[in-house]
Amino acid sequence: MRHALALEYDGRAFCGFQSQRDGCGVQDALQRALATVAASPIAVSAAGRTDAGVHAASQIVHFDTDAARPESAWVRGVNASLPPAAAVLWARPVDDTFHARFAATARHYVYLLQNRAERPALLAGRVGWYHRPLDLGAMQRAAARLVGTHDFSAFRAAECQAKSPVKTLVRAQVRHDGTLIRFEFSANAFLHHMVRNLVGALIEIGSGRRDADWIGELIATRDRTRGAATFAPDGLYFCGADYDARFGLPATRRDVLTTT
């Protein structure tokens, strides 16, 4: 039987989502915990593979097992075996046609940036940091130009394995609450390091080193070497994915600031 679950985690405790030889990935920890409950090995697939230091408010995962367990076992039982930095939020049986990665119609990320002269302490490791004032309006104007279907090669990591750099960004917004700036992105799919590279470019514009038109010029170059540096992983959160209603899943998106 196939099951889907939602998982939250603090990326600082792991070397990324994907399984690693030394077992330090979120996937490794989750598979070990699931195997404890199922009393047999279990492999999982996820909606998005986050890098080391990147967090998740709602990572969607599916797995197959012949073990008959109540839904509570796949939540509380698995959580009892997971490290403190990860927790299952819900689990549901799903149709065999469901696939956490390939059935997703959209994915959502939020980047949180502390914008003040002093480095963060209470939020260290959970937000990015930029020490000089940023022009919110300039970043908002630039972000609006990102929306649409583009070749995002200029924001793609060299080691990216995606078959195509063409993605459709349906949301790119910048908001602030005091000294905390939120960058919000939604797309059909993302390239490796794409969000962190987008944030780096928007900060270049917000700092005044580039104008808002530069973002369009950068897209047109399709040249990663012309872009800004990849911004730190600390403030990046995978906030969920969208799926067809026929799968009958609970909420698959969670906002990073209002998680309850």
Side-chain angles (χ1 to χ4, degrees), residues 44-66:
V44 305
S45 295
R49 293 183 294 181
T50 53
D51 291 330
V54 176
H55 317 292
S58 181
Q59 174 69 270
I60 308 302
V61 170
H62 84 262
F63 64 94
D64 296 323
T65 180
D66 293 327

Side-chain angles (χ1 to χ4, degrees), residues 114-121 129-131:
Q114 186 84 72
N115 183 210
R116 69 183 191 192
E118 305 79 20
R119 65 172 176 81
W129 174 51
Y130 191 78
H131 60 291

Side-chain angles (χ1 to χ4, degrees), residues 119-222:
R119 65 172 176 81
L122 293 178
L123 295 177
R126 297 172 57 200
V127 297
W129 174 51
Y130 191 78
H131 60 291
R132 293 194 178 102
L134 293 170
D135 184 336
L136 184 70
M139 293 191 293
Q140 290 171 331
R141 291 191 297 275
R145 293 171 182 158
L146 293 167
V147 175
T149 301
H150 305 289
D151 182 329
F152 283 100
S153 292
F155 304 94
R156 180 183 193 176
E159 61 271 26
C160 181
Q161 298 177 358
K163 292 181 179 179
S164 171
V166 177
K167 304 299 175 188
T168 300
L169 201 64
V170 297
R171 186 184 189 200
Q173 295 184 344
V174 186
R175 299 187 285 141
H176 78 98
D177 181 5
T179 62
L180 196 65
I181 298 177
R182 291 171 56 93
F183 299 84
E184 303 172 354
F185 301 97
S186 298
N188 61 335
F190 289 87
L191 302 168
H192 191 196
H193 285 177
M194 180 173 162
V195 175
R196 290 166 60 190
N197 290 333
L198 289 171
V199 170
L202 292 172
I203 289 173
E204 282 283 298
I205 291 166
S207 68
R209 287 192 291 268
R210 304 279 187 171
D211 61 31
D213 292 333
W214 177 65
I215 204 82
E217 298 167 3
L218 189 55
I219 291 173
T221 68
R222 301 179 184 178

Side-chain angles (χ1 to χ4, degrees), residues 1-7 17 27 30-31 34 42-47 59-65 90 92-103 243 249:
M1 177 178 286
R2 181 158 294 184
H3 297 264
L5 61 79
L7 182 75
F17 181 85
Q27 183 177 4
L30 179 58
Q31 289 178 165
L34 287 167
I42 287 183
V44 305
S45 295
Q59 174 69 270
I60 308 302
V61 170
H62 84 262
F63 64 94
D64 296 323
T65 180
W90 55 257
R92 295 287 190 280
V94 289
D95 187 275
D96 286 346
T97 61
F98 176 82
H99 194 288
R101 179 183 176 191
F102 298 121
Y243 298 93
L249 297 175

